[in-house]
Amino acid sequence: MKSINNAYAGLSGNYLFSEVARRVSAFKARRPETEVISLGIGDVSQPLAPAVISALHKAVDEMARPETFRGYGPEQGYAFLREAILRHDFLPRGVNVSAEEIFISDGAKSDIGNFQELFGEDAVVALTDPVYPVYEDSNAMSGRAGTFRNGRWSRLVYLPCTRANGFQPELPETRPDVIYLCSPNNPTGTVLDRESLTSWVNYARQQECLILFDAAYESFLRDDSLPHSIYEIPGADEVAVEFRSLSKTAGFTGLRCGYAVVPEKISARTADGRTLKLHDMWLRRQCTKYNGCPYIVQRAAEAVFLPETRQQLDAALSVYRKNADLMLDAFRRMGLSAFGGVHSPYVWLQTPENMPSWSFFDLMLEKAAVVCTPGVGFGASGEGYARFTAFNSPENTVKALERLEKAL
Ligand SMILES: *Cc1c(COP(=O)(O)O)cnc(C)c1O
């Protein structure tokens, strides 16, 4: 086949995690007797809540009887789930979205990766640096990112998030069409406060930009005064799409369920000046290319949003929160500067004495047999940082931190 999408030829390999895996297996081959502990994993470790498991069993049994069997469901998701989300995630926070604006999916990664299909080829995309790689790569695959040189795409606008600006991205000097924001953030673990998020919404309204807001870690917020949804900011329903996921909040990384909120109020202009609703474009896209999240998974997801399940979900979340607290305490005792970790399962550690990310990674592996993720792998502004995750077991987290304290 000769006529391929050339943009794929310009992609860099998935260097970060394959390089981490390569260095870890080389270490294990050299030191087979040493137990390696990973604080680099981005996957949950606690099992699904009992209420989710019983909803799954019940839904499976429904599939066995002709009178309760379900075939194709609505592409946008079942009303029972969309309404449960509305009642649980939005109405209590005074957010006025409607069930018709909620689109159920098999997870936030596919929604985020697919959404860029709605943008023009020449749309200018802005993203934070460091960043969750899906925003960058999905635009690169569509040929919208230009060419890749020295770690950056020529047509993307990078918004550095560093210690100097408190990890709050500053408004860009030139106007982008689309802005990706993620709060609580992966990888920095920091949060966009209400003031910062308000300035982004106001900017997007003035400049006619679209904000894609990734709230995959929303349930890690510990302070109720922080915005959980971008729609808590007045006017956001005219300029922002929000992505949510049950992966990190309810352990659905293997089960797969997420959703996107695409408000009816967001309009998009065609080259010849006509207006289309972004909501209708996304509905059209999903109806054509997607047949919906499995019924049994949507029933399991519904259980996540029942008030009585809250306590069960909090049990898993509190394991991750405690691990993050332990990490923050240990790093501070060691005299290191650590960020995030309060409203997030990620701790963003500034390496001692400006050590490059990969040198720090090697040092941790050699001296402590602990794996972290080099910050530079998430973008140029991540150089000099490393990401530690709270997803390992409490025992392993404690053991890893003891080893790090000895090594440093
Ligand atoms: C894990 C994660 C997601 C969620 O992905 P799923 O496909 O729902 O598992 C989305 N955004 C960020 C930043 C993440 O880290």
PDB file of all heavy atoms in Angstrom, residues 127-131 152 158-170 180-182 185 187-188 190 192 196 200 339 348 378-383 385:
ATOM      1  N   LEU A 127      -1.242  23.337  23.910  1.00  0.00           N
ATOM      2  CA  LEU A 127      -1.264  22.389  25.009  1.00  0.00           C
ATOM      3  C   LEU A 127      -0.185  22.716  26.018  1.00  0.00           C
ATOM      4  O   LEU A 127       0.788  23.402  25.695  1.00  0.00           O
ATOM      5  CB  LEU A 127      -1.135  20.947  24.514  1.00  0.00           C
ATOM      6  CG  LEU A 127      -0.363  20.653  23.231  1.00  0.00           C
ATOM      7  CD1 LEU A 127       1.095  20.509  23.534  1.00  0.00           C
ATOM      8  CD2 LEU A 127      -0.922  19.404  22.608  1.00  0.00           C
ATOM      9  N   THR A 128      -0.401  22.229  27.244  1.00  0.00           N
ATOM     10  CA  THR A 128       0.576  22.517  28.290  1.00  0.00           C
ATOM     11  C   THR A 128       1.818  21.646  28.087  1.00  0.00           C
ATOM     12  O   THR A 128       1.771  20.614  27.432  1.00  0.00           O
ATOM     13  CB  THR A 128      -0.014  22.256  29.689  1.00  0.00           C
ATOM     14  OG1 THR A 128      -0.443  20.901  29.733  1.00  0.00           O
ATOM     15  CG2 THR A 128      -1.175  23.188  29.979  1.00  0.00           C
ATOM     16  N   ASP A 129       2.901  22.098  28.644  1.00  0.00           N
ATOM     17  CA  ASP A 129       4.162  21.351  28.600  1.00  0.00           C
ATOM     18  C   ASP A 129       4.714  21.358  30.016  1.00  0.00           C
ATOM     19  O   ASP A 129       4.980  22.434  30.532  1.00  0.00           O
ATOM     20  CB  ASP A 129       5.117  22.065  27.630  1.00  0.00           C
ATOM     21  CG  ASP A 129       6.529  21.509  27.680  1.00  0.00           C
ATOM     22  OD1 ASP A 129       6.700  20.374  28.155  1.00  0.00           O
ATOM     23  OD2 ASP A 129       7.454  22.222  27.264  1.00  0.00           O
ATOM     24  N   PRO A 130       4.831  20.181  30.692  1.00  0.00           N
ATOM     25  CA  PRO A 130       4.584  18.812  30.242  1.00  0.00           C
ATOM     26  C   PRO A 130       3.101  18.515  30.017  1.00  0.00           C
ATOM     27  O   PRO A 130       2.250  19.257  30.469  1.00  0.00           O
ATOM     28  CB  PRO A 130       5.128  17.979  31.400  1.00  0.00           C
ATOM     29  CG  PRO A 130       4.988  18.859  32.599  1.00  0.00           C
ATOM     30  CD  PRO A 130       5.256  20.251  32.102  1.00  0.00           C
ATOM     31  N   VAL A 131       2.851  17.373  29.319  1.00  0.00           N
ATOM     32  CA  VAL A 131       1.483  17.075  28.895  1.00  0.00           C
ATOM     33  C   VAL A 131       1.220  15.577  28.803  1.00  0.00           C
ATOM     34  O   VAL A 131       2.144  14.778  28.623  1.00  0.00           O
ATOM     35  CB  VAL A 131       1.229  17.757  27.528  1.00  0.00           C
ATOM     36  CG1 VAL A 131       1.904  16.987  26.396  1.00  0.00           C
ATOM     37  CG2 VAL A 131      -0.248  17.950  27.232  1.00  0.00           C
ATOM     38  N   ARG A 152       9.820  19.075  19.869  1.00  0.00           N
ATOM     39  CA  ARG A 152       8.592  19.862  19.753  1.00  0.00           C
ATOM     40  C   ARG A 152       8.043  19.858  18.332  1.00  0.00           C
ATOM     41  O   ARG A 152       8.810  19.801  17.373  1.00  0.00           O
ATOM     42  CB  ARG A 152       8.853  21.306  20.182  1.00  0.00           C
ATOM     43  CG  ARG A 152       9.048  21.421  21.681  1.00  0.00           C
ATOM     44  CD  ARG A 152       8.900  22.821  22.161  1.00  0.00           C
ATOM     45  NE  ARG A 152       8.542  22.809  23.585  1.00  0.00           N
ATOM     46  CZ  ARG A 152       8.372  23.891  24.318  1.00  0.00           C
ATOM     47  NH1 ARG A 152       8.505  25.077  23.780  1.00  0.00           N
ATOM     48  NH2 ARG A 152       8.050  23.797  25.596  1.00  0.00           N
ATOM     49  N   TYR A 158       3.015  25.579  22.713  1.00  0.00           N
ATOM     50  CA  TYR A 158       3.310  24.966  24.005  1.00  0.00           C
ATOM     51  C   TYR A 158       3.192  25.983  25.130  1.00  0.00           C
ATOM     52  O   TYR A 158       3.699  27.100  25.014  1.00  0.00           O
ATOM     53  CB  TYR A 158       4.710  24.353  23.992  1.00  0.00           C
ATOM     54  CG  TYR A 158       4.807  23.130  23.094  1.00  0.00           C
ATOM     55  CD1 TYR A 158       5.161  23.252  21.755  1.00  0.00           C
ATOM     56  CD2 TYR A 158       4.509  21.865  23.591  1.00  0.00           C
ATOM     57  CE1 TYR A 158       5.242  22.143  20.923  1.00  0.00           C
ATOM     58  CE2 TYR A 158       4.579  20.742  22.770  1.00  0.00           C
ATOM     59  CZ  TYR A 158       4.953  20.877  21.441  1.00  0.00           C
ATOM     60  OH  TYR A 158       5.024  19.775  20.640  1.00  0.00           O
ATOM     61  N   LEU A 159       2.507  25.594  26.189  1.00  0.00           N
ATOM     62  CA  LEU A 159       2.315  26.466  27.350  1.00  0.00           C
ATOM     63  C   LEU A 159       3.097  25.865  28.527  1.00  0.00           C
ATOM     64  O   LEU A 159       2.615  24.916  29.160  1.00  0.00           O
ATOM     65  CB  LEU A 159       0.830  26.548  27.707  1.00  0.00           C
ATOM     66  CG  LEU A 159      -0.141  26.862  26.557  1.00  0.00           C
ATOM     67  CD1 LEU A 159      -1.581  26.566  26.972  1.00  0.00           C
ATOM     68  CD2 LEU A 159       0.011  28.308  26.112  1.00  0.00           C
ATOM     69  N   PRO A 160       4.308  26.367  28.793  1.00  0.00           N
ATOM     70  CA  PRO A 160       5.136  25.759  29.834  1.00  0.00           C
ATOM     71  C   PRO A 160       4.496  25.859  31.219  1.00  0.00           C
ATOM     72  O   PRO A 160       3.924  26.892  31.565  1.00  0.00           O
ATOM     73  CB  PRO A 160       6.432  26.584  29.797  1.00  0.00           C
ATOM     74  CG  PRO A 160       6.424  27.279  28.486  1.00  0.00           C
ATOM     75  CD  PRO A 160       4.983  27.495  28.134  1.00  0.00           C
ATOM     76  N   CYS A 161       4.563  24.767  31.968  1.00  0.00           N
ATOM     77  CA  CYS A 161       4.089  24.735  33.355  1.00  0.00           C
ATOM     78  C   CYS A 161       5.264  24.321  34.212  1.00  0.00           C
ATOM     79  O   CYS A 161       5.693  23.162  34.166  1.00  0.00           O
ATOM     80  CB  CYS A 161       2.958  23.723  33.514  1.00  0.00           C
ATOM     81  SG  CYS A 161       1.460  24.227  32.682  1.00  0.00           S
ATOM     82  N   THR A 162       5.795  25.275  34.950  1.00  0.00           N
ATOM     83  CA  THR A 162       6.991  25.017  35.734  1.00  0.00           C
ATOM     84  C   THR A 162       6.791  25.553  37.145  1.00  0.00           C
ATOM     85  O   THR A 162       5.795  26.221  37.439  1.00  0.00           O
ATOM     86  CB  THR A 162       8.210  25.723  35.119  1.00  0.00           C
ATOM     87  OG1 THR A 162       7.932  27.129  35.087  1.00  0.00           O
ATOM     88  CG2 THR A 162       8.475  25.244  33.697  1.00  0.00           C
ATOM     89  N   ARG A 163       7.794  25.299  37.960  1.00  0.00           N
ATOM     90  CA  ARG A 163       7.771  25.811  39.321  1.00  0.00           C
ATOM     91  C   ARG A 163       7.616  27.337  39.303  1.00  0.00           C
ATOM     92  O   ARG A 163       6.930  27.911  40.152  1.00  0.00           O
ATOM     93  CB  ARG A 163       9.088  25.407  39.981  1.00  0.00           C
ATOM     94  CG  ARG A 163       9.134  25.775  41.413  1.00  0.00           C
ATOM     95  CD  ARG A 163      10.399  25.294  42.070  1.00  0.00           C
ATOM     96  NE  ARG A 163      10.299  25.601  43.493  1.00  0.00           N
ATOM     97  CZ  ARG A 163      11.120  25.144  44.404  1.00  0.00           C
ATOM     98  NH1 ARG A 163      12.126  24.376  44.059  1.00  0.00           N
ATOM     99  NH2 ARG A 163      10.958  25.477  45.669  1.00  0.00           N
ATOM    100  N   ALA A 164       8.250  27.992  38.306  1.00  0.00           N
ATOM    101  CA  ALA A 164       8.253  29.455  38.248  1.00  0.00           C
ATOM    102  C   ALA A 164       6.834  30.022  38.110  1.00  0.00           C
ATOM    103  O   ALA A 164       6.542  31.081  38.665  1.00  0.00           O
ATOM    104  CB  ALA A 164       9.124  29.931  37.091  1.00  0.00           C
ATOM    105  N   ASN A 165       5.943  29.355  37.390  1.00  0.00           N
ATOM    106  CA  ASN A 165       4.567  29.880  37.296  1.00  0.00           C
ATOM    107  C   ASN A 165       3.581  29.058  38.127  1.00  0.00           C
ATOM    108  O   ASN A 165       2.371  29.114  37.913  1.00  0.00           O
ATOM    109  CB  ASN A 165       4.112  30.021  35.831  1.00  0.00           C
ATOM    110  CG  ASN A 165       4.126  28.702  35.061  1.00  0.00           C
ATOM    111  OD1 ASN A 165       4.133  27.626  35.655  1.00  0.00           O
ATOM    112  ND2 ASN A 165       4.135  28.775  33.747  1.00  0.00           N
ATOM    113  N   GLY A 166       4.118  28.310  39.075  1.00  0.00           N
ATOM    114  CA  GLY A 166       3.244  27.536  39.964  1.00  0.00           C
ATOM    115  C   GLY A 166       2.442  26.493  39.200  1.00  0.00           C
ATOM    116  O   GLY A 166       1.382  26.065  39.641  1.00  0.00           O
ATOM    117  N   PHE A 167       2.959  26.072  38.041  1.00  0.00           N
ATOM    118  CA  PHE A 167       2.317  25.062  37.184  1.00  0.00           C
ATOM    119  C   PHE A 167       0.944  25.516  36.683  1.00  0.00           C
ATOM    120  O   PHE A 167       0.087  24.702  36.372  1.00  0.00           O
ATOM    121  CB  PHE A 167       2.234  23.711  37.910  1.00  0.00           C
ATOM    122  CG  PHE A 167       3.578  23.218  38.365  1.00  0.00           C
ATOM    123  CD1 PHE A 167       4.026  23.458  39.667  1.00  0.00           C
ATOM    124  CD2 PHE A 167       4.433  22.569  37.492  1.00  0.00           C
ATOM    125  CE1 PHE A 167       5.287  23.046  40.080  1.00  0.00           C
ATOM    126  CE2 PHE A 167       5.690  22.147  37.903  1.00  0.00           C
ATOM    127  CZ  PHE A 167       6.115  22.383  39.195  1.00  0.00           C
ATOM    128  N   GLN A 168       0.739  26.841  36.634  1.00  0.00           N
ATOM    129  CA  GLN A 168      -0.494  27.402  36.066  1.00  0.00           C
ATOM    130  C   GLN A 168      -0.123  27.956  34.685  1.00  0.00           C
ATOM    131  O   GLN A 168       0.622  28.937  34.597  1.00  0.00           O
ATOM    132  CB  GLN A 168      -1.039  28.545  36.941  1.00  0.00           C
ATOM    133  CG  GLN A 168      -1.242  28.196  38.414  1.00  0.00           C
ATOM    134  CD  GLN A 168      -2.514  27.397  38.688  1.00  0.00           C
ATOM    135  OE1 GLN A 168      -3.581  27.719  38.191  1.00  0.00           O
ATOM    136  NE2 GLN A 168      -2.395  26.349  39.485  1.00  0.00           N
ATOM    137  N   PRO A 169      -0.580  27.338  33.603  1.00  0.00           N
ATOM    138  CA  PRO A 169      -0.178  27.800  32.274  1.00  0.00           C
ATOM    139  C   PRO A 169      -0.615  29.245  32.035  1.00  0.00           C
ATOM    140  O   PRO A 169      -1.706  29.646  32.464  1.00  0.00           O
ATOM    141  CB  PRO A 169      -0.916  26.845  31.328  1.00  0.00           C
ATOM    142  CG  PRO A 169      -2.049  26.303  32.131  1.00  0.00           C
ATOM    143  CD  PRO A 169      -1.570  26.255  33.545  1.00  0.00           C
ATOM    144  N   GLU A 170       0.241  30.007  31.367  1.00  0.00           N
ATOM    145  CA  GLU A 170      -0.104  31.401  31.064  1.00  0.00           C
ATOM    146  C   GLU A 170      -0.800  31.486  29.709  1.00  0.00           C
ATOM    147  O   GLU A 170      -0.577  30.655  28.829  1.00  0.00           O
ATOM    148  CB  GLU A 170       1.171  32.247  31.085  1.00  0.00           C
ATOM    149  CG  GLU A 170       1.628  32.526  32.518  1.00  0.00           C
ATOM    150  CD  GLU A 170       3.128  32.644  32.659  1.00  0.00           C
ATOM    151  OE1 GLU A 170       3.760  33.252  31.769  1.00  0.00           O
ATOM    152  OE2 GLU A 170       3.669  32.115  33.653  1.00  0.00           O
ATOM    153  N   TYR A 180      -5.986  22.527  25.136  1.00  0.00           N
ATOM    154  CA  TYR A 180      -6.167  21.361  26.011  1.00  0.00           C
ATOM    155  C   TYR A 180      -5.733  21.734  27.423  1.00  0.00           C
ATOM    156  O   TYR A 180      -4.608  22.212  27.613  1.00  0.00           O
ATOM    157  CB  TYR A 180      -5.298  20.192  25.545  1.00  0.00           C
ATOM    158  CG  TYR A 180      -5.768  19.522  24.273  1.00  0.00           C
ATOM    159  CD1 TYR A 180      -5.405  20.007  23.028  1.00  0.00           C
ATOM    160  CD2 TYR A 180      -6.564  18.375  24.329  1.00  0.00           C
ATOM    161  CE1 TYR A 180      -5.821  19.377  21.856  1.00  0.00           C
ATOM    162  CE2 TYR A 180      -6.985  17.736  23.162  1.00  0.00           C
ATOM    163  CZ  TYR A 180      -6.611  18.235  21.937  1.00  0.00           C
ATOM    164  OH  TYR A 180      -7.020  17.608  20.783  1.00  0.00           O
ATOM    165  N   LEU A 181      -6.608  21.521  28.395  1.00  0.00           N
ATOM    166  CA  LEU A 181      -6.256  21.738  29.797  1.00  0.00           C
ATOM    167  C   LEU A 181      -6.604  20.472  30.575  1.00  0.00           C
ATOM    168  O   LEU A 181      -7.590  19.795  30.255  1.00  0.00           O
ATOM    169  CB  LEU A 181      -7.025  22.924  30.382  1.00  0.00           C
ATOM    170  CG  LEU A 181      -6.750  24.315  29.795  1.00  0.00           C
ATOM    171  CD1 LEU A 181      -7.697  25.345  30.410  1.00  0.00           C
ATOM    172  CD2 LEU A 181      -5.288  24.735  29.999  1.00  0.00           C
ATOM    173  N   CYS A 182      -5.813  20.160  31.587  1.00  0.00           N
ATOM    174  CA  CYS A 182      -6.031  18.956  32.387  1.00  0.00           C
ATOM    175  C   CYS A 182      -5.850  19.305  33.856  1.00  0.00           C
ATOM    176  O   CYS A 182      -4.785  19.747  34.259  1.00  0.00           O
ATOM    177  CB  CYS A 182      -5.026  17.882  31.959  1.00  0.00           C
ATOM    178  SG  CYS A 182      -5.087  16.361  32.926  1.00  0.00           S
ATOM    179  N   ASN A 185      -3.811  17.622  37.245  1.00  0.00           N
ATOM    180  CA  ASN A 185      -2.972  17.372  36.081  1.00  0.00           C
ATOM    181  C   ASN A 185      -2.197  16.064  36.136  1.00  0.00           C
ATOM    182  O   ASN A 185      -1.669  15.672  37.170  1.00  0.00           O
ATOM    183  CB  ASN A 185      -1.991  18.549  35.947  1.00  0.00           C
ATOM    184  CG  ASN A 185      -1.266  18.543  34.622  1.00  0.00           C
ATOM    185  OD1 ASN A 185      -0.167  18.027  34.505  1.00  0.00           O
ATOM    186  ND2 ASN A 185      -1.893  19.102  33.606  1.00  0.00           N
ATOM    187  N   PRO A 187       1.075  15.089  34.035  1.00  0.00           N
ATOM    188  CA  PRO A 187       1.848  14.432  35.087  1.00  0.00           C
ATOM    189  C   PRO A 187       2.140  15.258  36.339  1.00  0.00           C
ATOM    190  O   PRO A 187       2.646  14.697  37.295  1.00  0.00           O
ATOM    191  CB  PRO A 187       3.175  14.171  34.372  1.00  0.00           C
ATOM    192  CG  PRO A 187       3.367  15.377  33.507  1.00  0.00           C
ATOM    193  CD  PRO A 187       1.967  15.719  33.025  1.00  0.00           C
ATOM    194  N   THR A 188       1.845  16.557  36.397  1.00  0.00           N
ATOM    195  CA  THR A 188       2.398  17.355  37.514  1.00  0.00           C
ATOM    196  C   THR A 188       1.631  17.197  38.821  1.00  0.00           C
ATOM    197  O   THR A 188       2.117  17.620  39.869  1.00  0.00           O
ATOM    198  CB  THR A 188       2.450  18.859  37.165  1.00  0.00           C
ATOM    199  OG1 THR A 188       1.104  19.364  37.083  1.00  0.00           O
ATOM    200  CG2 THR A 188       3.170  19.113  35.853  1.00  0.00           C
ATOM    201  N   THR A 190      -0.697  18.893  39.841  1.00  0.00           N
ATOM    202  CA  THR A 190      -1.157  20.183  40.345  1.00  0.00           C
ATOM    203  C   THR A 190      -2.558  20.490  39.800  1.00  0.00           C
ATOM    204  O   THR A 190      -3.055  19.808  38.900  1.00  0.00           O
ATOM    205  CB  THR A 190      -0.191  21.313  39.940  1.00  0.00           C
ATOM    206  OG1 THR A 190      -0.064  21.319  38.517  1.00  0.00           O
ATOM    207  CG2 THR A 190       1.185  21.096  40.571  1.00  0.00           C
ATOM    208  N   LEU A 192      -5.598  23.434  38.540  1.00  0.00           N
ATOM    209  CA  LEU A 192      -5.932  24.786  38.088  1.00  0.00           C
ATOM    210  C   LEU A 192      -6.928  25.355  39.087  1.00  0.00           C
ATOM    211  O   LEU A 192      -7.998  24.770  39.282  1.00  0.00           O
ATOM    212  CB  LEU A 192      -6.567  24.742  36.697  1.00  0.00           C
ATOM    213  CG  LEU A 192      -5.631  24.373  35.543  1.00  0.00           C
ATOM    214  CD1 LEU A 192      -6.427  24.225  34.255  1.00  0.00           C
ATOM    215  CD2 LEU A 192      -4.546  25.426  35.377  1.00  0.00           C
ATOM    216  N   SER A 196      -7.443  30.839  37.850  1.00  0.00           N
ATOM    217  CA  SER A 196      -6.743  30.480  36.632  1.00  0.00           C
ATOM    218  C   SER A 196      -7.728  29.932  35.579  1.00  0.00           C
ATOM    219  O   SER A 196      -7.693  30.318  34.407  1.00  0.00           O
ATOM    220  CB  SER A 196      -5.667  29.459  36.993  1.00  0.00           C
ATOM    221  OG  SER A 196      -5.040  28.979  35.862  1.00  0.00           O
ATOM    222  N   TRP A 200      -8.915  31.414  31.754  1.00  0.00           N
ATOM    223  CA  TRP A 200      -8.930  30.627  30.510  1.00  0.00           C
ATOM    224  C   TRP A 200     -10.293  30.677  29.825  1.00  0.00           C
ATOM    225  O   TRP A 200     -10.397  30.814  28.613  1.00  0.00           O
ATOM    226  CB  TRP A 200      -8.522  29.175  30.770  1.00  0.00           C
ATOM    227  CG  TRP A 200      -7.037  29.037  30.835  1.00  0.00           C
ATOM    228  CD1 TRP A 200      -6.281  28.897  31.968  1.00  0.00           C
ATOM    229  CD2 TRP A 200      -6.121  29.103  29.734  1.00  0.00           C
ATOM    230  NE1 TRP A 200      -4.955  28.866  31.632  1.00  0.00           N
ATOM    231  CE2 TRP A 200      -4.827  28.987  30.272  1.00  0.00           C
ATOM    232  CE3 TRP A 200      -6.273  29.252  28.361  1.00  0.00           C
ATOM    233  CZ2 TRP A 200      -3.680  29.011  29.486  1.00  0.00           C
ATOM    234  CZ3 TRP A 200      -5.139  29.271  27.565  1.00  0.00           C
ATOM    235  CH2 TRP A 200      -3.854  29.155  28.125  1.00  0.00           C
ATOM    236  N   PHE A 339       5.852  18.563  44.235  1.00  0.00           N
ATOM    237  CA  PHE A 339       4.612  19.278  43.931  1.00  0.00           C
ATOM    238  C   PHE A 339       3.503  18.269  43.656  1.00  0.00           C
ATOM    239  O   PHE A 339       3.766  17.085  43.442  1.00  0.00           O
ATOM    240  CB  PHE A 339       4.833  20.192  42.721  1.00  0.00           C
ATOM    241  CG  PHE A 339       6.002  21.128  42.929  1.00  0.00           C
ATOM    242  CD1 PHE A 339       7.280  20.770  42.506  1.00  0.00           C
ATOM    243  CD2 PHE A 339       5.832  22.324  43.601  1.00  0.00           C
ATOM    244  CE1 PHE A 339       8.369  21.600  42.742  1.00  0.00           C
ATOM    245  CE2 PHE A 339       6.911  23.168  43.834  1.00  0.00           C
ATOM    246  CZ  PHE A 339       8.180  22.806  43.399  1.00  0.00           C
ATOM    247  N   TRP A 348       5.075  15.275  41.615  1.00  0.00           N
ATOM    248  CA  TRP A 348       6.013  15.796  40.608  1.00  0.00           C
ATOM    249  C   TRP A 348       7.215  16.303  41.377  1.00  0.00           C
ATOM    250  O   TRP A 348       7.143  17.306  42.081  1.00  0.00           O
ATOM    251  CB  TRP A 348       5.321  16.914  39.842  1.00  0.00           C
ATOM    252  CG  TRP A 348       5.951  17.439  38.601  1.00  0.00           C
ATOM    253  CD1 TRP A 348       6.338  18.727  38.381  1.00  0.00           C
ATOM    254  CD2 TRP A 348       6.213  16.731  37.374  1.00  0.00           C
ATOM    255  NE1 TRP A 348       6.819  18.866  37.103  1.00  0.00           N
ATOM    256  CE2 TRP A 348       6.754  17.656  36.468  1.00  0.00           C
ATOM    257  CE3 TRP A 348       6.042  15.400  36.973  1.00  0.00           C
ATOM    258  CZ2 TRP A 348       7.132  17.309  35.164  1.00  0.00           C
ATOM    259  CZ3 TRP A 348       6.418  15.054  35.684  1.00  0.00           C
ATOM    260  CH2 TRP A 348       6.957  15.993  34.797  1.00  0.00           C
ATOM    261  N   PHE A 378       7.460  13.763  29.278  1.00  0.00           N
ATOM    262  CA  PHE A 378       6.145  14.393  29.077  1.00  0.00           C
ATOM    263  C   PHE A 378       6.259  15.746  28.389  1.00  0.00           C
ATOM    264  O   PHE A 378       5.262  16.443  28.216  1.00  0.00           O
ATOM    265  CB  PHE A 378       5.439  14.574  30.425  1.00  0.00           C
ATOM    266  CG  PHE A 378       5.151  13.291  31.155  1.00  0.00           C
ATOM    267  CD1 PHE A 378       5.978  12.858  32.190  1.00  0.00           C
ATOM    268  CD2 PHE A 378       4.063  12.499  30.804  1.00  0.00           C
ATOM    269  CE1 PHE A 378       5.718  11.674  32.873  1.00  0.00           C
ATOM    270  CE2 PHE A 378       3.792  11.320  31.481  1.00  0.00           C
ATOM    271  CZ  PHE A 378       4.626  10.904  32.511  1.00  0.00           C
ATOM    272  N   GLY A 379       7.480  16.126  28.025  1.00  0.00           N
ATOM    273  CA  GLY A 379       7.663  17.411  27.358  1.00  0.00           C
ATOM    274  C   GLY A 379       8.920  18.104  27.849  1.00  0.00           C
ATOM    275  O   GLY A 379       9.421  17.808  28.948  1.00  0.00           O
ATOM    276  N   ALA A 380       9.406  19.040  27.026  1.00  0.00           N
ATOM    277  CA  ALA A 380      10.689  19.702  27.314  1.00  0.00           C
ATOM    278  C   ALA A 380      10.696  20.367  28.688  1.00  0.00           C
ATOM    279  O   ALA A 380      11.708  20.329  29.401  1.00  0.00           O
ATOM    280  CB  ALA A 380      10.985  20.726  26.221  1.00  0.00           C
ATOM    281  N   SER A 381       9.565  20.944  29.099  1.00  0.00           N
ATOM    282  CA  SER A 381       9.536  21.640  30.397  1.00  0.00           C
ATOM    283  C   SER A 381       9.505  20.674  31.574  1.00  0.00           C
ATOM    284  O   SER A 381       9.540  21.103  32.735  1.00  0.00           O
ATOM    285  CB  SER A 381       8.333  22.583  30.483  1.00  0.00           C
ATOM    286  OG  SER A 381       8.418  23.568  29.478  1.00  0.00           O
ATOM    287  N   GLY A 382       9.426  19.380  31.294  1.00  0.00           N
ATOM    288  CA  GLY A 382       9.482  18.384  32.362  1.00  0.00           C
ATOM    289  C   GLY A 382      10.921  17.994  32.696  1.00  0.00           C
ATOM    290  O   GLY A 382      11.157  17.197  33.615  1.00  0.00           O
ATOM    291  N   GLU A 383      11.893  18.545  31.959  1.00  0.00           N
ATOM    292  CA  GLU A 383      13.298  18.251  32.257  1.00  0.00           C
ATOM    293  C   GLU A 383      13.621  18.745  33.667  1.00  0.00           C
ATOM    294  O   GLU A 383      13.210  19.835  34.079  1.00  0.00           O
ATOM    295  CB  GLU A 383      14.210  18.946  31.217  1.00  0.00           C
ATOM    296  CG  GLU A 383      15.692  18.698  31.412  1.00  0.00           C
ATOM    297  CD  GLU A 383      16.104  17.224  31.393  1.00  0.00           C
ATOM    298  OE1 GLU A 383      15.788  16.481  32.351  1.00  0.00           O
ATOM    299  OE2 GLU A 383      16.768  16.822  30.416  1.00  0.00           O
ATOM    300  N   TYR A 385      12.608  17.080  36.319  1.00  0.00           N
ATOM    301  CA  TYR A 385      11.546  16.583  37.206  1.00  0.00           C
ATOM    302  C   TYR A 385      11.379  15.077  36.996  1.00  0.00           C
ATOM    303  O   TYR A 385      11.839  14.520  35.980  1.00  0.00           O
ATOM    304  CB  TYR A 385      10.201  17.251  36.896  1.00  0.00           C
ATOM    305  CG  TYR A 385      10.145  18.731  37.197  1.00  0.00           C
ATOM    306  CD1 TYR A 385      10.535  19.672  36.240  1.00  0.00           C
ATOM    307  CD2 TYR A 385       9.699  19.191  38.440  1.00  0.00           C
ATOM    308  CE1 TYR A 385      10.479  21.033  36.521  1.00  0.00           C
ATOM    309  CE2 TYR A 385       9.639  20.546  38.722  1.00  0.00           C
ATOM    310  CZ  TYR A 385      10.028  21.466  37.759  1.00  0.00           C
ATOM    311  OH  TYR A 385       9.968  22.807  38.030  1.00  0.00           O
TER     312      TYR A 385
END
